[in-house]
Amino acid sequence: MGMLRNPHFPETFCTEEQLLEELYRQMLKVVRHKLWHKPDAGDVVQEAWVRILENRSSLREQDKLIPWAKTIAANLAYNANRARSKEVICETCENEYNIHGAMSEPELMLELSDLLGCLDPTTRTLLLYKFYYGLKDREIADTLGVPVGTVKARIHRSKARLNAQVHDDSPRT
């Protein structure tokens, strides 16, 4: 903790222990505010401490320690939310697959092929680039020569249309 043993840490703290307690309290407050899944707060703050220790040389001004630590904690909370949303999407996909799980692989491929065949060529290409080839939105935009926002909007609208089409065609229970 050599970075905190600096005699120039903020004057409002008499001891290093007070500074550490305040850092923890501030980071926990930020993380709890930012996180969707609140029980992950302790893990995110712990990861923030690790990052602070690993990157202590990047702190230019000692009096900016608390804002710097809060920014690191907020960024890690954002990353945790993103990771959590990917888990939710995967679970949703698994549930959707389980609903249609009675279909064999060739039947599923045939249905996907039919759905893609109903799309215009540009939309089909866009969805294949995104979900089959795994290209990022920026790469797709560069390839098609359109803005990234256009790519995102088209993908969103196409998914919504396909989803509506699938649910309209599915038998009601």
Side-chain angles (χ1 to χ4, degrees):
M1 295 298 283
M3 83 177 207
L4 298 177
R5 297 198 190 282
N6 188 329
H8 303 297
F9 64 81
E11 289 85 31
T12 56
F13 302 102
C14 297
T15 66
E16 186 174 326
E17 185 176 325
Q18 286 178 331
L19 175 62
L20 293 174
E21 287 173 4
E22 181 63 17
L23 267 174
Y24 180 78
R25 193 181 68 70
Q26 291 285 333
M27 288 191 303
L28 191 59
K29 184 177 176 181
V30 167
V31 167
R32 282 187 178 147
H33 176 74
K34 300 273 184 193
L35 272 181
W36 299 333
H37 191 251
K38 305 301 183 199
D40 291 345
D43 293 337
V44 172
V45 171
Q46 186 175 2
E47 179 65 24
W49 279 110
V50 171
R51 295 285 173 90
I52 288 169
L53 292 173
E54 288 175 345
N55 300 313
R56 63 182 175 256
S57 62
S58 67
L59 177 63
R60 293 184 188 102
E61 301 174 37
Q62 287 294 322
D63 60 332
K64 305 285 185 193
L65 176 63
I66 292 176
W68 180 68
K70 287 169 64 174
T71 301
I72 290 171
N75 289 339
L76 289 171
Y78 171 75
N79 292 345
N81 285 338
R82 240 182 22 196
R84 176 76 57 180
S85 71
K86 287 180 183 176
E87 287 175 12
V88 168
I89 290 170
C90 288
E91 288 172 8
T92 304
C93 290
E94 283 179 14
N95 291 340
E96 190 70 26
Y97 181 75
N98 289 338
I99 290 169
H100 296 95
M103 278 191 233
S104 67
E105 185 76 22
E107 290 172 337
L108 186 60
M109 294 304 288
L110 185 61
E111 184 176 346
L112 285 172
S113 179
D114 288 344
L115 285 171
L116 286 172
C118 294
L119 301 172
D120 63 277
T122 305
T123 304
R124 184 176 333 133
T125 303
L126 191 68
L127 292 177
L128 286 172
Y129 280 166
K130 178 72 175 180
F131 298 107
Y132 185 74
Y133 296 110
L135 297 179
K136 293 185 172 32
D137 293 340
R138 164 62 50 203
E139 296 169 328
I140 296 169
D142 292 343
T143 301
L144 298 177
V146 296
V148 176
T150 302
V151 169
K152 290 180 180 183
R154 286 180 183 170
I155 288 172
H156 177 76
R157 284 192 301 264
S158 300
K159 284 173 46 181
R161 254 185 284 141
L162 285 174
N163 196 16
Q165 185 177 347
V166 166
H167 289 295
D168 288 344
D169 292 345
S170 64
R172 306 256 187 241
T173 55

